[in-house]
Amino acid sequence: MGSLTSDLELEYNSNSSINLLDSEEFRRQGHMFVDFMAEYYKNIDKYPVRSQVEPGYLKKRLPESAPYSPESVETILQDVQEHIVPGITHWQSPNYFAYFPATSSVAGIVGEMLSSGFNVVGLDWISSPAAVELENIVMDWLGQMLDLPKSFLFSGNGGGVIQGTTCEALLCTLTAARDRVLKKIGRENISKLVVYSSDQTHCAFQKAAQIVGIDRKNIRAIKTTKSSSYGLSAESVLSQINLDVEAELIPLFLCATVGTTAITAVDPLKPLCDVAKQFGIWVHVDAAYAGSACICPEFRYFIDGVECVDSFSFNPHKWLFTTLDCCCLWVKDPSCLLSALSTNPQYLKNEATDQEPKEQEVGYKDWQITLCRRFRSLKLWVVIRNFGVANLRNFIRSHVGMAKLFERLVTSDKRFEVAFPRNFSLVCFRVTPSAVMDKLRTKYKNGTYDQYRQFSEEERTNEFNRELLESINVSGKVFMTHAIVGGIYVLRFAAGNSMTMESHVRAAWTVVQEHLEAF
C-alpha cells in the first residue's frame, strides 16, 4: 500500500501543469451547476421548508476523512442532492415566512457568479480599480434611491462602503466613535464610555460594543413600552444620559433602529438626535431589514431625521434581492473611520497611497475590519440595473400588500388577533387568550384542565401559541418564527421572499387554521 500511495503521489506531482481554470471544463461544470440550481428552484416548494433532520445526521452519511483521489462533479452533485439538501432550511421557499427574508434573484446570483469568477481582492484602488470605483458609484446610486442627504454621499464629502453584515457596520462605527472621543479624553478613560439602545435593538449591538471595549455594565438597553409602540423614546434616553453624566460617565454612542427584529418597531430619529446632539453622541441608524422599503417614497418617512445622524446602514441581502452578504453603510465623516481603522504597511504602499487620494481612489481596506474584501458592489450593480428602481419599488410594495392580506385574514377570524401594529411586511399575531381558554377547556374536559390553573392566563396563552407554532413548523408546510415583547408571545409572519405569491399567503393561513382546529 505504501508503494502504491507513493506512485499515485508521483503521478499527480508530474501532472502539475494541469489548468485549474480551464475554460471548457468551467463551461461544462458551470452548465451542470446552473442546471442543478434551476431544478432546485423549480421544485423548491416540494421540500419541507424547515429541515426535518436530527442533529448529527450528516456525520453518519459522510466519510470520516477527505478523499485522497479526485471525485467527479457528477458524484459530488449527487451527494449534494442526497445528503446536503435534506439538511437545508429552504430560505428561498415561497412558504418561508421566518425571521426576515434573505431575498435572492437571478440578477443577484449572476452578479455573485461574476464576483466569484473574477475573485479580486479589492482592498484599495491599485488592487482593482473597477472594484473600488464601482462601489463609489453604486453607494451613491443607492443613497440617492433612499433620498439620503448629500452629506452621506461621495458627491457631498461623505461616503459609503459595502460591509458583510450589520454586525460589521456597528463594529466599525463604534470603533470610530470610540477613538474620536478617546483622543480627547485619553484612552485610560475607556471604562467611562457608555452606549445606548433600546431593549428591542438587535443583539449585534451589544456584541459590537463588547468587542470595542465598552464595559458590559455601561451598555444601556433602555426599556420601551406599548405606549410608544415599543420605539425608543427621547425622554427615556435623556433621563438615562443625565443619570450617567451625574455618575461622571461619558455618553458615546446611540443606536437607533428602523424596523426592530422582533416586531419592526421604529425609533423616532429626529427627537433622539436632538437629545444626542446635546452631549456630542454619535448616532447610528440600523435599518437592516426596513431600509430597503425606504426606496419607496411612501415609506421614506420612516427615516425622517436621518439628516441629523452620523451613520446609516441597511442590508440589501434582506429585502433588495441581492444575495448574502451585502450591508451598505454610509458615514458623514469618513475621516473618523479612516483614523480608527487605517493601516499602511510598506508592502501595501503604492503611488496612489503616497498621494492625497481622489474620490475614486478610496482605500476601502481602511473602511472596514478586514483587509481583504469581496467585489460585492458588482452583484448590487447588476441587481439595480437589471430590475431598475421602478421594479424594485413595486416588488417591495407587493410584499407589503401580501402582509396586509395576511393581516386581514387574521383579523377576520375572531380566534386570532394582530398583537402589534404592522409595519412593512411583518405581521405579529397570536391565538387570543379567550380562544386559548376555550380550547383548553374542551381539550381537558375530563378534569385534567385543573393542572393549568396554577398558571396565569397570559402564561397559558403564551405556551399554547408556542406549541401551535412548533406544530406548524414540524409539518414542513410553512416556516415561521416567534417573538416575545411586553410579555406576549407572538407568531411572526414575514412576507417578502422572492418566490412568494398571494396564493402562498392564503395557503399559509389555511395551515395555521387547520393546526389550531386540530389542537
Side-chain angles (χ1 to χ4, degrees):
M1 288 295 289
S3 175
L4 178 59
T5 299
S6 299
D7 290 344
L8 282 169
E9 287 174 346
L10 287 172
E11 179 183 340
Y12 282 108
N13 288 337
S14 66
N15 206 21
S16 59
S17 61
I18 187 171
N19 184 356
L20 297 180
L21 283 173
D22 179 78
S23 60
E24 291 307 312
E25 184 60 17
F26 176 75
R27 192 189 313 276
R28 185 184 78 85
Q29 292 193 25
H31 278 299
M32 292 173 62
F33 278 96
V34 168
D35 287 344
F36 179 89
M37 290 307 301
E39 285 300 308
Y40 169 74
Y41 283 122
K42 181 180 178 181
N43 298 300
I44 194 170
D45 59 349
K46 297 177 182 177
Y47 296 109
V49 186
R50 193 180 77 174
S51 176
Q52 307 290 296
V53 301
E54 296 293 330
Y57 90 99
L58 198 53
K59 188 174 182 179
K60 299 174 183 177
R61 298 188 182 199
L62 299 187
E64 292 184 358
S65 58
Y68 183 80
S69 301
E71 297 180 334
S72 70
V73 173
E74 290 85 351
T75 299
I76 295 170
L77 281 178
Q78 182 178 347
D79 283 350
V80 170
Q81 183 64 53
E82 293 181 1
H83 305 313
I84 303 302
V85 171
I88 292 176
T89 289
H90 301 281
W91 283 66
Q92 303 310 311
S93 169
N95 301 308
Y96 180 98
F97 305 104
Y99 306 109
F100 284 129
T103 56
S104 187
S105 62
V106 172
I109 294 170
V110 169
E112 189 71 67
M113 288 175 64
L114 285 171
S115 177
S116 296
F118 290 132
N119 199 32
V120 302
V121 182
L123 50 93
D124 60 10
W125 188 85
I126 203 72
S127 68
S128 193
V132 170
E133 295 194 19
L134 186 62
E135 193 156 336
N136 293 173
I137 292 166
V138 168
M139 289 302 291
D140 269 11
W141 277 10
L142 199 50
Q144 292 162 8
M145 289 162 62
L146 289 163
D147 194 23
L148 291 182
K150 193 171 182 178
S151 55
F152 278 110
L153 309 183
F154 284 106
S155 55
N157 297 319
V161 56
I162 303 179
Q163 307 271 4
T165 67
T166 298
C167 303
E168 296 168 49
L170 287 169
L171 185 55
C172 289
T173 51
L174 273 163
T175 303
R178 178 200 66 188
D179 282 14
R180 184 177 69 173
V181 169
L182 291 181
K183 281 181 180 178
K184 299 176 183 177
I185 66 172
R187 300 192 75 86
E188 68 275 9
N189 289 305
I190 189 172
S191 62
K192 296 181 179 181
L193 300 180
V194 186
V195 297
Y196 305 87
S197 68
S198 87
D199 58 358
Q200 301 301 310
T201 301
H202 195 281
C203 62
F205 178 65
Q206 180 179 342
K207 178 184 285 189
Q210 292 172 192
I211 291 172
V212 302
I214 305 300
D215 193 314
R216 288 191 183 209
K217 67 177 183 291
N218 290 347
I219 301 174
R220 308 283 185 247
I222 298 171
K223 183 176 176 58
T224 56
T225 63
K226 185 177 181 179
S227 63
S228 63
S229 298
Y230 295 96
L232 181 59
S233 77
E235 294 78 14
S236 62
V237 173
L238 179 58
S239 176
Q240 181 61 61
I241 290 175
N242 284 333
L243 290 174
D244 291 331
V245 171
E246 288 175 14
E248 298 185 342
L249 298 175
I250 301 169
L252 173 69
F253 192 100
L254 169 63
C255 181
T257 306
V258 175
T260 58
T261 302
I263 61 170
T264 63
V266 176
D267 296 337
L269 302 187
K270 184 62 167 64
L272 291 172
C273 287
D274 289 342
V275 171
K277 186 177 180 181
Q278 299 174 42
F279 302 91
I281 295 173
W282 182 301
V283 180
H284 175 78
V285 176
D286 170 14
Y289 155 72
S292 296
C294 295
I295 70 168
C296 300
E298 65 268 33
F299 301 128
R300 171 58 173 76
Y301 74 92
F302 282 110
I303 59 171
D304 283 353
V306 69
E307 66 276 4
C308 304
V309 310
D310 297 278
S311 52
F312 176 92
S313 65
F314 89 104
N315 297 348
H317 66 237
K318 276 189 166 63
W319 200 10
L320 208 62
F321 317 104
T322 304
T323 53
L324 193 74
D325 52 4
C326 185
C327 172
C328 294
L329 166 68
W330 289 267
V331 291
K332 277 185 178 176
D333 185 4
S335 68
C336 290
L337 281 181
L338 298 176
S339 177
L341 301 173
S342 287
T343 55
N344 194 24
Q346 185 61 42
Y347 51 80
L348 291 179
K349 289 185 177 181
N350 54 65
E351 185 177 343
T353 63
D354 291 338
Q355 302 173 7
E356 186 69 27
K358 301 175 183 177
E359 176 189 313
Q360 296 83 8
E361 296 176 349
V362 172
Y364 273 126
K365 69 179 178 61
D366 298 325
W367 290 55
Q368 61 177 33
I369 302 300
T370 62
L371 177 66
C372 297
R373 60 197 324 273
R374 301 174 60 236
F375 197 170
R376 297 186 183 98
S377 61
L378 190 56
K379 61 185 174 185
L380 190 53
W381 183 64
V382 172
V383 167
I384 295 172
R385 290 191 62 192
N386 194 235
F387 291 123
V389 176
N391 278 329
L392 291 173
R393 287 172 174 168
N394 286 335
F395 292 144
I396 288 168
R397 287 169 180 145
S398 71
H399 293 153
V400 174
M402 291 179 200
K404 289 180 177 179
L405 168 61
F406 191 83
E407 184 179 37
R408 290 195 300 272
L409 293 171
V410 171
T411 56
S412 68
D413 188 328
K414 293 181 179 180
R415 298 171 297 175
F416 294 87
E417 65 181 359
V418 174
F420 303 106
R422 180 198 53 77
N423 287 325
F424 312 106
S425 65
L426 176 71
V427 180
C428 296
F429 70 104
R430 67 172 181 168
V431 181
T432 66
S434 61
V436 169
M437 295 306 109
D438 289 344
K439 270 287 181 181
L440 290 177
R441 290 188 189 97
T442 302
K443 186 173 182 179
Y444 299 105
K445 59 186 177 182
N446 294 326
T448 54
Y449 172 71
D450 290 343
Q451 66 181 299
Y452 287 89
R453 294 188 185 279
Q454 62 182 303
F455 302 108
S456 69
E457 181 180 273
E458 199 62 65
E459 289 173 328
R460 283 175 278 181
T461 301
N462 286 348
E463 178 60 18
F464 184 93
N465 278 282
R466 187 196 68 78
E467 292 177 2
L468 174 64
L469 177 60
E470 181 59 18
S471 72
I472 291 169
N473 288 337
V474 166
S475 75
K477 294 178 180 179
V478 298
F479 182 32
M480 294 182 290
T481 47
H482 78 282
I484 301 176
V485 174
I488 298 174
Y489 183 105
V490 295
L491 289 70
R492 297 171 70 262
F493 180 90
N497 258 18
S498 304
M499 300 178 74
T500 301
M501 303 294 180
E502 282 195 6
S503 59
H504 298 106
V505 174
R506 293 184 185 277
W509 177 240
T510 298
V511 170
V512 172
Q513 289 180 310
E514 288 174 348
H515 277 263
L516 176 59
E517 288 158 8
F519 236 60

